[in-house]
Amino acid sequence: MNGKKITVLIFILSLSIALVSGCTKKIAPEESGEKVVDFALVIHGGAGAMKKGLMSEEKEKAYKAKLTEALNVGYKILNEGGTSLDAVEKVINLLEDSPLFNAGKGAVFNSEGMNELDASIMNGKDKTAGAVAGVHHIKNPISLARLVMEKSPHVLMAGEGAEKFAVENGVKLVDTSYFFTESRWESLQRVKKIEKLKNPIFEPAEKKESKFGTVGCVALDKAGNLAAGTSTGGMTNKKYGRIGDSPIIGAGTYADNNTCAVSCTGHGEYFIRYVVAYDITALMKYKNMSVEKASDEVINKKLKAVGGSGGVIAIDKEGNIAMPFNTSGMFRGYVTDKNEPEVKIYDE
Ligand code: ASP
């Protein structure tokens, strides 16, 4: 082959490589700035030490079934043109009503053997928000949080005052016995035993087998609006009056149409101190990070470095989704108009 032929061959070769790579280059949605889905919804059911094999197959199935049911509820609302706010509330209601999760029925017990519930919700469209903390008689705290947002001039209401506000707005109170589950009661007894053996400082839960179990949901609706919500019983054996990150706007929940919607789960004290939900949106806003990068940075770098365990779910205005966690597992799932519900528990 003479020199001229070789040059032509190299030219053709490089041209075809350029063409092929041009065709196959995946344009990251966050780079394109386009909405990648019409609507999407992400949920979590808490992060913690869920190692494969530790949970019975039956239990695993039950969790997956309930998470899938929740995703289907959200899908239906969003598909019919409902708002992300409605989807978040209704999906969380379903999880609150399930004894499997640490929210509503099935909430963990505090050190006094009481269930003290926290929740918050935020609308990314106008950044309105509502939250309740330390309530004892509210079947669906996320709905009361929404009432605070829509029917009061306030953002956060706590304890008896929040319950008085609930009654004034037609919410029926439930007896504290409604929240009781045997497994959460046993958890409290186990933690108390461990506490007696060790020095008597507050231990968040039986560290090794701890599953936090909070529930959360973030959604993007067809109109392009984001919303986020979180509901929890807090942490087993928490001190009376302790309030976690879940009802704190900016810590456990945040939504801004310009960046993303976030719901957190994990060791609340860290999430409050590191203002986790807002930090993710701030990294996107001020550092131009993608939702995946910002969530990963906060959960797997910042929080992990200081021993703050947990995870988040987040969705941006284009429908890009992130679900990072630094524990061994996190109940989680998502659905969009383009794909079937997908549910996961472990690091897979
Ligand atoms: N973050 C919650 C709290 O500290 C607990 C959890 O997410 O499981 O109250």
Side-chain angles (χ1 to χ4, degrees):
M1 223 186 274
N2 64 28
K4 204 173 168 193
K5 270 191 186 155
I6 290 174
T7 319
V8 171
L9 202 66
I10 290 173
F11 175 70
I12 292 172
L13 254 173
S14 38
L15 191 69
S16 28
I17 288 169
L19 273 175
V20 168
S21 59
C23 292
T24 53
K25 185 177 182 287
K26 187 180 166 280
I27 298 176
E30 66 271 21
E31 281 170 31
S32 72
E34 281 164 28
K35 212 171 171 217
V36 287
V37 290
D38 258 356
F39 62 84
L41 183 126
V42 195
I43 54 175
H44 72 72
M50 297 90 115
K51 285 232 170 72
K52 230 189 167 120
L54 272 185
M55 206 188 310
S56 71
E57 238 172 71
E58 222 171 58
K59 210 155 191 204
E60 215 175 277
K61 259 195 198 154
Y63 274 108
K64 285 190 168 170
K66 195 43 90 176
L67 291 169
T68 307
E69 191 185 336
L71 290 174
N72 285 331
V73 165
Y75 179 93
K76 188 165 186 289
I77 294 171
L78 295 173
N79 192 38
E80 286 169 359
T83 64
S84 49
L85 208 58
D86 279 343
V88 164
E89 182 189 355
K90 298 298 172 225
V91 163
I92 291 183
N93 283 163
L94 185 105
L95 298 172
E96 284 175 333
D97 293 346
S98 162
L100 290 174
F101 301 97
N102 170 21
K105 171 102 190 154
V108 298
F109 289 93
N110 70 5
S111 59
E112 309 280 278
M114 301 269 291
N115 306 105
E116 261 178 0
L117 314 170
D118 301 336
S120 68
I121 194 163
M122 186 161 182
N123 188 352
K125 186 179 173 185
D126 53 11
K127 291 203 219 144
T128 50
V132 291
V135 292
H136 298 113
H137 302 92
I138 305 296
K139 182 172 174 275
N140 293 111
I142 195 73
S143 297
L144 184 57
R146 185 167 179 181
L147 276 178
V148 170
M149 173 171 85
E150 291 174 345
K151 298 263 163 38
S152 88
H154 308 303
V155 169
L156 172 59
M157 295 181 79
E160 275 175 29
E163 296 194 346
K164 192 169 171 213
F165 171 79
V167 173
E168 282 167 10
N169 282 280
V171 177
K172 265 203 194 143
L173 302 186
V174 293
D175 191 77
T176 50
S177 60
Y178 166 77
F179 300 104
F180 182 89
T181 53
E182 196 64 46
S183 69
R184 299 295 188 196
W185 184 252
E186 278 165 16
S187 270
L188 176 68
Q189 308 317 315
R190 272 202 303 272
V191 181
K192 283 206 174 286
K193 237 188 222 165
I194 296 170
E195 197 184 45
K196 260 195 201 153
L197 296 175
K198 288 201 246 156
N199 61 33
I201 55 155
F202 170 70
E203 272 286 325
E206 317 99 306
K207 271 222 165 125
K208 269 201 179 140
E209 57 171 301
S210 87
K211 301 169 200 69
F212 295 109
T214 292
V215 305
C217 179
V218 295
L220 167 73
D221 61 28
K222 285 184 179 172
N225 291 315
L226 294 171
T230 312
S231 184
T232 189
M235 295 172 85
T236 304
N237 201 32
K238 66 184 179 181
K239 285 263 178 281
Y240 38 83
R242 177 266 189 188
I243 290 168
D245 60 312
S246 309
I248 309 294
I249 296 300
T253 304
Y254 202 75
D256 177 355
N257 270 6
N258 297 311
T259 50
C260 69
V262 187
S263 169
C264 303
T265 175
H267 194 161
E269 279 67 15
Y270 287 87
F271 282 71
I272 294 174
R273 287 163 48 214
Y274 286 82
V275 205
V276 167
Y278 181 74
D279 197 23
I280 292 171
T281 67
L283 286 174
M284 291 178 70
K285 192 168 172 184
Y286 302 121
K287 281 201 160 178
N288 233 349
M289 281 190 192
S290 67
V291 68
E292 293 91 342
K293 194 140 194 280
S295 311
D296 180 63
E297 173 84 21
V298 175
I299 294 301
N300 288 318
K301 296 201 180 114
K302 289 189 182 185
L303 271 193
K304 202 174 175 185
V306 293
S309 55
V312 299
I313 50 168
I315 184 169
D316 73 9
K317 57 186 192 289
E318 281 104 37
N320 298 295
I321 285 164
M323 306 186 286
F325 50 95
N326 61 30
T327 47
S328 55
M330 180 167 88
F331 295 113
R332 63 200 186 279
Y334 69 93
V335 67
T336 78
D337 59 303
K338 305 254 182 320
N339 70 282
E340 295 287 303
E342 179 129 9
V343 165
K344 286 181 180 166
I345 301 177
Y346 310 104
D347 188 6
E348 39 195 293

